[in-house]
Amino acid sequence: MADSRLENPPDDARLEDLARNVASHLEASEQVVTLAESCTGGWIAKLLTDIAGSSAWFGQGIVTYSNGAKCRLLGVPEELLAEHGAVSEEVVRHMASGALKAAQADVAVAVTGVAGPRGGTAAKPVGTVWLGWALRSGFVISRRERFDGNRDEVRRAAVAAALAGVLRHARP
């Protein structure tokens, strides 16, 4: 687990640079990425598909904002949501694995969190974000972050962390 305190949330130029780096990495390694986004609402998919030629390395993106969508589209068990809540390690791991299976991609990224300004609790304050990456090899990585800032800043930070994770975890 990590707590991330961003002095300056990533701006559009930084996010676009990260997306281009992910694109180059995926293209060079002939991998396809898929996404399961909740609190980022499709922002990662938008950044990636803004890049010409993205169909060569981008499979699909699924925005599963509601718990029902997480169950129906990604196979997250209802019992898991009831026991741990949508913003949890258990759920983000299922989201990543479910997206990978649905898309038959090489790497999947999943994001779920509390962007605010409401919805936080003592256990999961505003800014809590779980990220998950699933690889075709069966390896699943998850990470909890705690970002400071308003809704936009939390979401920007989550997008940046998700993209950076692809660079870190996808095979070279």
Side-chain angles (χ1 to χ4, degrees):
M1 285 193 247
D3 282 347
S4 297
R5 305 287 186 238
L6 294 179
E7 291 180 24
N8 297 309
D11 62 12
D12 288 346
R14 174 73 177 125
L15 293 177
E16 290 164 7
D17 284 346
L18 271 169
R20 281 191 293 277
N21 288 338
V22 166
S24 294
H25 178 81
L26 292 170
E27 190 167 23
S29 59
E30 298 181 342
Q31 294 179 89
V32 173
V33 68
T34 190
L35 308 168
E37 298 184 68
S38 186
C39 67
T40 50
W43 198 335
I44 303 166
K46 187 237 185 281
L47 280 170
L48 294 177
T49 59
D50 279 349
I51 299 168
S54 57
S55 61
W57 44 264
F58 180 81
Q60 67 185 40
I62 304 169
V63 177
T64 55
Y65 211 73
S66 71
N67 286 351
K70 287 174 181 66
C71 296
R72 283 189 313 278
L73 300 173
L74 300 173
V76 175
E78 288 180 24
E79 306 78 40
L80 202 65
L81 286 158
E83 184 176 345
H84 300 283
V87 181
S88 65
E89 180 175 23
E90 295 80 5
V91 168
V92 83
R93 291 174 71 87
H94 273 273
M95 288 173 65
S97 296
L100 189 72
K101 182 179 177 183
Q104 299 180 349
D106 299 296
V107 60
V109 182
V111 184
T112 185
V114 184
R118 295 183 309 265
T121 65
K124 298 175 189 176
V126 169
T128 302
V129 176
W130 275 97
L131 300 122
W133 299 269
L135 309 178
R136 183 178 285 258
S137 66
F139 195 57
V140 180
I141 306 108
S142 56
R143 180 179 177 97
R144 184 188 67 101
E145 296 281 359
R146 169 67 177 88
F147 300 116
D148 282 336
N150 63 31
R151 183 176 182 81
D152 185 69
E153 292 166 336
V154 168
R155 293 175 76 211
R156 283 177 179 280
V159 169
L163 291 171
V166 174
L167 294 172
R168 193 169 39 254
H169 301 302
R171 69 176 161 75

PDB file of all heavy atoms in Angstrom, residues 95 110-111 133 154 166 169:
ATOM      1  N   MET A  95     -11.903  -7.170 -11.015  1.00  0.00           N
ATOM      2  CA  MET A  95     -12.152  -6.291 -12.167  1.00  0.00           C
ATOM      3  C   MET A  95     -11.066  -6.484 -13.224  1.00  0.00           C
ATOM      4  O   MET A  95     -11.372  -6.632 -14.418  1.00  0.00           O
ATOM      5  CB  MET A  95     -12.198  -4.827 -11.730  1.00  0.00           C
ATOM      6  CG  MET A  95     -13.428  -4.428 -10.951  1.00  0.00           C
ATOM      7  SD  MET A  95     -13.326  -2.729 -10.286  1.00  0.00           S
ATOM      8  CE  MET A  95     -13.307  -1.752 -11.812  1.00  0.00           C
ATOM      9  N   ALA A 110      -7.358  -2.033 -14.039  1.00  0.00           N
ATOM     10  CA  ALA A 110      -8.633  -1.751 -13.366  1.00  0.00           C
ATOM     11  C   ALA A 110      -8.422  -0.663 -12.327  1.00  0.00           C
ATOM     12  O   ALA A 110      -7.365  -0.607 -11.682  1.00  0.00           O
ATOM     13  CB  ALA A 110      -9.170  -3.017 -12.697  1.00  0.00           C
ATOM     14  N   VAL A 111      -9.421   0.210 -12.196  1.00  0.00           N
ATOM     15  CA  VAL A 111      -9.364   1.317 -11.245  1.00  0.00           C
ATOM     16  C   VAL A 111     -10.716   1.461 -10.557  1.00  0.00           C
ATOM     17  O   VAL A 111     -11.750   1.493 -11.226  1.00  0.00           O
ATOM     18  CB  VAL A 111      -9.029   2.649 -11.958  1.00  0.00           C
ATOM     19  CG1 VAL A 111      -8.888   3.764 -10.938  1.00  0.00           C
ATOM     20  CG2 VAL A 111      -7.789   2.535 -12.811  1.00  0.00           C
ATOM     21  N   TRP A 133      -3.663  -4.604 -12.050  1.00  0.00           N
ATOM     22  CA  TRP A 133      -3.162  -4.961 -13.373  1.00  0.00           C
ATOM     23  C   TRP A 133      -3.145  -6.478 -13.446  1.00  0.00           C
ATOM     24  O   TRP A 133      -2.618  -7.149 -12.555  1.00  0.00           O
ATOM     25  CB  TRP A 133      -1.744  -4.429 -13.587  1.00  0.00           C
ATOM     26  CG  TRP A 133      -1.655  -2.941 -13.501  1.00  0.00           C
ATOM     27  CD1 TRP A 133      -1.776  -2.053 -14.525  1.00  0.00           C
ATOM     28  CD2 TRP A 133      -1.442  -2.154 -12.329  1.00  0.00           C
ATOM     29  NE1 TRP A 133      -1.654  -0.765 -14.057  1.00  0.00           N
ATOM     30  CE2 TRP A 133      -1.447  -0.799 -12.704  1.00  0.00           C
ATOM     31  CE3 TRP A 133      -1.248  -2.463 -10.974  1.00  0.00           C
ATOM     32  CZ2 TRP A 133      -1.267   0.232 -11.800  1.00  0.00           C
ATOM     33  CZ3 TRP A 133      -1.074  -1.431 -10.069  1.00  0.00           C
ATOM     34  CH2 TRP A 133      -1.084  -0.102 -10.487  1.00  0.00           C
ATOM     35  N   VAL A 154      -7.836  13.943  -7.838  1.00  0.00           N
ATOM     36  CA  VAL A 154      -7.796  12.522  -7.480  1.00  0.00           C
ATOM     37  C   VAL A 154      -7.900  11.669  -8.744  1.00  0.00           C
ATOM     38  O   VAL A 154      -7.141  10.708  -8.934  1.00  0.00           O
ATOM     39  CB  VAL A 154      -8.915  12.167  -6.477  1.00  0.00           C
ATOM     40  CG1 VAL A 154      -9.080  10.660  -6.325  1.00  0.00           C
ATOM     41  CG2 VAL A 154      -8.635  12.823  -5.122  1.00  0.00           C
ATOM     42  N   VAL A 166       1.102   0.219 -16.117  1.00  0.00           N
ATOM     43  CA  VAL A 166       1.245  -0.556 -17.359  1.00  0.00           C
ATOM     44  C   VAL A 166       2.720  -0.590 -17.758  1.00  0.00           C
ATOM     45  O   VAL A 166       3.266  -1.644 -18.098  1.00  0.00           O
ATOM     46  CB  VAL A 166       0.388   0.022 -18.501  1.00  0.00           C
ATOM     47  CG1 VAL A 166       0.674  -0.698 -19.811  1.00  0.00           C
ATOM     48  CG2 VAL A 166      -1.092  -0.069 -18.162  1.00  0.00           C
ATOM     49  N   HIS A 169       4.477  -2.974 -15.224  1.00  0.00           N
ATOM     50  CA  HIS A 169       4.111  -4.375 -15.096  1.00  0.00           C
ATOM     51  C   HIS A 169       3.989  -5.149 -16.405  1.00  0.00           C
ATOM     52  O   HIS A 169       4.126  -6.375 -16.388  1.00  0.00           O
ATOM     53  CB  HIS A 169       2.798  -4.509 -14.313  1.00  0.00           C
ATOM     54  CG  HIS A 169       2.859  -3.938 -12.946  1.00  0.00           C
ATOM     55  ND1 HIS A 169       3.764  -4.346 -11.997  1.00  0.00           N
ATOM     56  CD2 HIS A 169       2.147  -2.938 -12.366  1.00  0.00           C
ATOM     57  CE1 HIS A 169       3.597  -3.639 -10.889  1.00  0.00           C
ATOM     58  NE2 HIS A 169       2.620  -2.788 -11.083  1.00  0.00           N
TER      59      HIS A 169
END
